[in-house]
Amino acid sequence: MGRTTLIEGRYVVSMNATRDLIQDGAVLIDDDRIVATGKAADLRAAHPDAERVGGDRFVVTPGLVNTHIHITGEPLTRGYVPDDTPFEENVFEWLCPLYAVYTAAEERLSAQLAAVEMLKSGTTAFLEAGTIRFLDEVVDGLGEVGIRGRVGRWVWDLPPEPGVYRQDTDVAIGHLARQLRELRSAAGGRIGAWSILVGHTTCSDPLWRAARALATEHGVGLSFHMSPARLDPDAFIAEFGQRPMIHLDQLGVLGPDVAITHCVHVDDREIEVMASRGVSVVHCPTTALKVSYGVTQVGKMPEMVQAGINLSIGTDGNNASNYSDLHRATYLVAGLFKDARTDPQMFPAETAYEMATLGGARTLLLQDEIGSLEPGKKADVVLHDTDRPEWRPLLNVMNQLVWSADGRSVHTVYVDGRRVVDGGRMTTVDEERLYADAQAAGEEITLRSGLPDRAKFPVW
Ligand SMILES: [Zn+2]
């Protein structure tokens, strides 16, 4: 045994096969791995030399897994786009011009701000939506913060604009090949590149095929956006005479290593195909609410789960979801379809929490490494402090994790056995400096973009 730590809690939420909630429990970690879980008293007696952390006022959980987040392009312009902007205007008139003016240093800073927000709210691993341009700097910044993630430059080849990040097919494939060759594993394996496409209608068939082939060749996942709104199915039907999932399946794109974000406007045949190919679907409820996707009216997340599709949860970009606290998105997952279908079975707190942990781990293809507190898995562990009003009294831990708590009660976080958040503070980066830099960069980026200040109330 090397460096051992015994993490104790009033409850250990294991998320193991039998979903054990261990009262007065503990997790023993040795270096970067979990070596035992059990009653705290037993583990204390067996390992008297281990460092002891936590205690009766803590709930110990696995780190959450956020399976769709824009760590560049959006964190430094968080909340800038008015929330009554129509979808297309949002993307083309606001977000694209903002994405275009980021420098490499700003993208690095943006990724660090996103990673710090995730860690401090209990997310220890994420799948990136796609770095706009400067992946090397982003990987370097993430390595410093200490989070786990799968990342990749955002590629596309169809629309000619905006010119600043225009790509043709060869350039896009070149970006994918380069990142999978050079960034397959970074920061001690915590960070690794995937094949990540913008998706929607921005990719030619040759690019889809190449991204699929490269993911297979390098043994990594493939991720993209599809069908948040009717624009995607309408465009695919107009061009190919069939819906997006059917077309992608015919191209050979779909498989168990594929994570598709949104999938709000899909039909029953598409669900059948997605289920038969074993894809994961990433549900981003906050985006659906803020950008009016209609998820509660037409979304088929309950049918997808019923069909056996792995559903996980993302927070998306900070102009579609101003926060990156996965607890708050998980709360919505537990609630939206209960109301939409007038059925409390959609989805119970336990099911929503499974999506945020085990479902996320499966989406990241890391189901053997993370998502639960079990011997042999990575020591990605979160301690919630329950000495807070929203946690008391503590009578039903799973209900309260989803319906009462959010990331504010996250006290201490381990990733790979390293304590990256301690008593609510980052141990790896200077937070005050990060926030000051983020404020300055956000003001500069919005100014440089030439976009108007759309505050509706007078500012003086
Ligand atoms: Zn997105």
Side-chain angles (χ1 to χ4, degrees):
M1 300 279 271
R3 180 174 53 88
T4 56
T5 305
L6 192 61
I7 303 169
E8 303 180 11
R10 185 183 185 90
Y11 291 98
V12 170
V13 176
S14 71
M15 301 308 286
N16 65 6
T18 45
R19 308 289 189 265
D20 294 333
L21 304 172
I22 310 169
Q23 213 163 356
D24 301 319
V27 180
L28 183 71
I29 65 176
D30 179 20
D31 199 14
D32 64 330
R33 295 276 171 186
I34 296 169
V35 290
T37 59
K39 289 288 188 185
D42 297 342
L43 289 171
R44 270 202 300 270
H47 303 277
D49 297 333
E51 178 198 11
R52 287 173 57 193
V53 301
D56 188 52
R57 74 176 220 239
F58 294 96
V59 166
V60 181
T61 73
L64 300 186
V65 185
N66 185 338
T67 51
H68 187 77
I69 174 168
H70 294 251
I71 62 170
T72 61
E74 303 247 1
L76 295 181
T77 59
R78 184 195 310 271
Y80 180 68
V81 181
D83 72 349
D84 53 357
T85 309
F87 176 68
E88 278 182 86
E89 185 186 329
N90 188 324
V91 172
F92 298 107
E93 293 179 32
W94 288 91
L95 299 181
C96 288
L98 287 168
Y99 293 172
V101 300
Y102 273 71
T103 65
E106 286 164 348
E107 286 203 356
R108 184 181 189 279
L109 173 66
S110 172
Q112 288 200 321
L113 181 65
V116 165
E117 185 183 0
M118 283 190 275
L119 287 173
K120 290 189 70 173
S121 55
T123 291
T124 53
F126 70 95
L127 173 58
E128 192 198 8
T131 287
I132 306 302
R133 281 194 288 171
F134 304 105
L135 188 61
D136 294 88
E137 287 80 356
V138 162
V139 167
D140 180 63
L142 294 170
E144 188 177 84
V145 175
I147 199 166
R148 188 183 304 285
R150 295 294 173 261
V151 301
R153 183 173 166 144
W154 195 0
V155 306
W156 62 344
D157 65 340
L158 282 185
E161 300 299 339
V164 68
Y165 48 97
R166 176 190 303 147
Q167 300 167 21
D168 64 24
T169 308
D170 289 342
V171 168
I173 294 170
H175 286 318
L176 290 176
R178 201 279 300 182
Q179 75 196 24
L180 294 178
R181 207 169 50 237
E182 296 178 12
L183 298 171
R184 173 77 183 77
S185 178
R190 287 194 315 276
I191 305 296
W194 268 32
S195 215
I196 296 181
L197 304 167
V198 175
H200 303 298
T201 53
T202 69
C203 303
S204 68
D205 287 355
L207 178 54
W208 281 116
R209 285 201 192 93
R212 168 69 273 168
L214 283 164
T216 303
E217 179 191 337
H218 292 271
V220 300
L222 171 65
S223 173
F224 52 89
H225 301 86
M226 195 57 75
S227 303
R230 279 192 46 180
L231 289 174
D232 288 344
D234 286 356
F236 272 77
I237 289 166
E239 180 153 8
F240 304 109
Q242 55 195 359
R243 299 180 68 91
M245 302 307 170
I246 310 302
H247 183 67
L248 293 179
D249 191 45
Q250 286 176 3
L251 290 178
V253 170
L254 305 184
D257 53 358
V258 170
I260 314 176
T261 297
H262 299 311
C263 301
V264 175
H265 293 258
V266 295
D267 73 6
D268 294 343
R269 176 78 190 114
E270 287 183 290
I271 291 175
E272 254 175 58
V273 169
M274 289 191 288
S276 72
R277 297 300 180 195
V279 306
S280 289
V281 167
V282 184
H283 179 19
C284 297
T286 39
T287 304
L289 290 184
K290 197 174 176 206
V291 193
S292 314
Y293 285 158
V295 73
T296 53
Q297 293 179 45
V298 302
K300 296 184 180 231
M301 280 64 193
E303 286 72 21
M304 290 183 205
V305 171
Q306 218 156 25
I309 292 174
N310 175 53
L311 202 69
S312 58
I313 311 172
T315 56
D316 213 349
N318 291 138
N319 277 295
S321 170
N322 287 31
Y323 58 79
S324 309
D325 177 350
L326 202 72
H327 281 277
R328 292 177 66 187
T330 305
Y331 164 96
L332 288 172
V333 169
L336 289 179
F337 285 95
K338 278 188 175 64
D339 182 68
R341 307 286 179 91
T342 55
D343 181 353
Q345 295 302 316
M346 297 179 180
F347 298 105
E350 291 80 0
T351 307
Y353 202 75
E354 286 169 353
M355 293 175 191
T357 52
L358 299 163
R362 158 76 186 81
T363 301
L364 261 68
L365 311 177
L366 292 174
Q367 61 270 30
D368 296 332
E369 296 278 10
I370 62 172
S372 61
L373 301 176
E374 295 180 84
K377 283 202 170 180
K378 286 285 192 182
D380 291 6
V381 187
V382 173
L383 286 84
H384 282 267
D385 186 350
T386 63
D387 269 350
R388 298 175 52 87
E390 74 272 19
W391 269 102
R392 295 294 185 185
L394 173 50
L395 304 172
N396 179 339
V397 66
M398 296 312 296
N399 232 333
Q400 278 168 264
L401 260 177
V402 173
W403 288 102
S404 311
D406 57 28
R408 288 173 301 169
S409 60
V410 170
H411 180 279
T412 294
V413 178
Y414 291 82
V415 177
D416 251 0
R418 180 186 186 198
R419 198 176 326 182
V420 291
V421 179
D422 186 9
R425 303 292 298 170
M426 293 299 302
T427 65
T428 52
V429 290
D430 178 343
E431 283 182 63
E432 276 65 39
R433 185 166 161 206
L434 178 73
Y435 304 145
D437 288 350
Q439 182 63 35
E443 290 173 14
E444 282 171 26
I445 289 165
T446 48
L447 195 66
R448 228 183 293 145
S449 73
L451 290 167
D453 180 351
R454 286 275 183 88
K456 293 191 180 72
F457 290 170
V459 179
W460 58 282

